[in-house]
Amino acid sequence: MLPTSSFAAELTWPVYHAAVRDGTTPILIPIGSMEQHGHHMPLHVDVLLPTEFARRAAKEIGALVAPPFTYGYKSHQKSGGGNHLPGTTSLDGATLVAALRDVIKEFARHGVRKICLVNGHFENSWFIIEAIDLALRELRWGRIDDVKIVVLSYWDFVDKDTIAKLYDGNFPGWDLEHGGVLETSLMLALYPDLVSLSDAIDVEPAEFPPYDVYPVKPEWTPPSGTLSSPKEASVGKGQILLDVCSKGIVSALRTEFG
Ligand code: ZN
Ligand code: MN
C-alpha cells in the first residue's frame, strides 16, 4: 500500500474514497496565481504559501489538501503590481469561477461535505465567492444541501499585536504587501532556496491615486514589481507569521467543521 499523505492526489482511489465518502473529512483547496513577485522571488509564491498553510492545517484536523489552483484572477495594479507585468499569467474571472465551481461540485459528488478555500492571492477573493455561490446553488438543484464551505485568506489571521511586533509602526497595509515583508519572510522560513534577498529592491511603499485607469499606466507600479520593500524580511518574522496564521486557520476550521 502507498504511504498515507495529506495531499489527496497522492492517495490511491480506494484510500481517497474511504476518507471522503461519508462526508466527515474536510477538503482544503489552496488557490493562488502565477504572478511576478519582484526580483527576489519566483512566480508561484501565491501557490506555495496557501498550499503549505493548507498542509499544516490538514495534518492538525485530519483533512485532505486538494491540488492547488495554480492560476488566479488578473493581478490588480494596486495589490499585485498589475496584469501587464511579465510572468504574470492570469485567468479571466469567468474561467476561474467556472473551474472552481466544477471542482467544488466534483468533491461534493465524491461525498465531501466540508470544503475550505485557502486563498493566497488577493484578487481571487470575489471570484471564489461567486464560484461557491454557483456551486452550492447547483448542488441544491441536485438535492445536495448539506455542503459547508469556508473561505479564508491566510494573511487575515495576522492580528494587530503581531503587526505591531513585526512592522515597528511601518505596516503598509495588506494591499501593498505584495512581494514585501509578509510574503518574503514566509518564503524565507519555508523555502529559503527560492528567495534571493540580495536581489531584493528597496522601494518606498507604492502610492496610488484614489481611482484606476485602463489601460493601466505602467509608471504607477514601482519598476521592481513589489509594492513595498522586502528588505526587512527575515526567517524569524516568517516563523512568527507561520505560527500565527496556522493557529488561526486551525482554530477557524475546528469551529466551523467540528
Ligand atoms: Zn503574492
Ligand atoms: Mn498575488
Side-chain angles (χ1 to χ4, degrees):
M1 234 171 78
L2 288 171
T4 59
S5 169
S6 294
F7 290 107
E10 293 181 356
L11 304 177
T12 63
W13 77 258
V15 173
Y16 170 80
H17 183 52
V20 304
R21 69 184 158 208
D22 69 356
T24 54
T25 301
I27 291 270
L28 315 183
I29 309 175
I31 178 160
S33 68
M34 179 167 170
E35 183 184 42
Q36 67 77 26
H37 276 75
H39 291 235
H40 64 297
M41 291 198 293
L43 299 167
H44 63 342
V45 168
D46 289 358
V47 178
L48 292 178
L49 295 179
T51 302
E52 177 59 16
F53 280 117
R55 189 189 68 80
R56 287 172 181 237
K59 281 184 99 87
E60 289 289 321
I61 68 163
L64 288 172
V65 181
F69 275 72
T70 54
Y71 299 96
Y73 182 65
K74 293 158 197 161
S75 180
H76 188 254
Q77 195 165 26
K78 291 176 180 172
S79 52
N83 213 55
H84 58 294
L85 290 163
T88 297
T89 309
S90 307
L91 301 175
D92 287 351
T95 312
L96 177 60
V97 168
L100 184 52
R101 181 193 59 189
D102 287 354
V103 168
I104 291 169
K105 285 163 57 188
E106 283 292 89
F107 285 127
R109 179 175 66 81
H110 301 162
V112 175
R113 292 297 179 266
K114 301 168 182 174
I115 296 173
C116 177
L117 274 298
V118 183
N119 185 32
H121 174 65
F122 174 75
E123 289 85 337
N124 289 335
S125 304
W126 290 103
F127 298 95
I128 295 175
I129 291 171
E130 177 69 355
I132 291 170
D133 185 63
L134 297 185
L136 290 180
R137 186 169 72 184
E138 290 171 25
L139 288 167
R140 279 197 302 274
W141 292 341
R143 301 193 189 286
I144 295 173
D145 59 6
D146 56 349
V147 176
K148 182 171 191 178
I149 304 183
V150 172
V151 52
L152 60 88
S153 297
Y154 68 82
W155 54 83
D156 284 332
F157 292 88
V158 184
D159 57 285
K160 284 202 177 94
D161 288 350
T162 306
I163 289 174
K165 185 158 57 176
L166 297 192
Y167 290 90
D168 201 22
N170 294 315
F171 179 58
W174 292 134
D175 46 344
L176 297 186
E177 261 290 3
H178 173 71
V181 169
L182 170 83
E183 289 180 316
T184 305
S185 296
L186 284 167
M187 287 294 289
L188 281 171
L190 291 169
Y191 305 103
D193 296 350
L194 296 179
V195 185
S196 173
L197 212 47
S198 59
D199 291 315
I201 294 174
D202 202 11
V203 290
E204 287 297 308
E207 281 186 51
F208 297 105
Y211 60 90
D212 299 311
V213 178
Y214 291 96
V216 295
K217 292 179 161 174
E219 63 272 22
W220 282 8
T221 304
S224 70
T226 72
L227 298 182
S228 55
S229 178
K231 282 287 186 190
E232 297 298 321
S234 70
V235 176
K237 289 178 184 175
Q239 279 160 349
I240 290 169
L241 289 161
L242 261 181
D243 192 51
V244 164
C245 298
S246 296
K247 281 193 178 125
I249 292 169
V250 166
S251 160
L253 295 181
R254 287 212 169 106
T255 300
E256 298 304 329
F257 293 154

